[in-house]
Amino acid sequence: MVPNPHTMSADDTVVGSIDGTDSSAEYVIADISADGAWLSMEADDAPTLVAMR
């Protein structure tokens, strides 16, 4: 059986952060409990909390 990729266990830790340089800023979402489990987008394109309600 394939686990549902949209569920989280108690050991999962998902965080969001702005990672920037002088020329660009990226919004990064990462599960810091798993290697390679992250995604990013340009910070200006990231949804606001109000938009996600």
Side-chain angles (χ1 to χ4, degrees), residues 2-29:
V2 177
N4 182 342
H6 303 290
T7 60
M8 293 178 59
S9 73
D11 296 332
D12 294 336
T13 305
V14 177
V15 296
S17 178
I18 300 292
D19 183 23
T21 64
D22 290 338
S23 61
S24 69
E26 297 285 318
Y27 179 61
V28 180
I29 301 172

Side-chain angles (χ1 to χ4, degrees), residues 37-51:
W38 62 275
L39 59 90
S40 70
M41 66 182 75
E42 289 186 30
D44 290 338
D45 294 335
T48 63
L49 289 176
V50 174

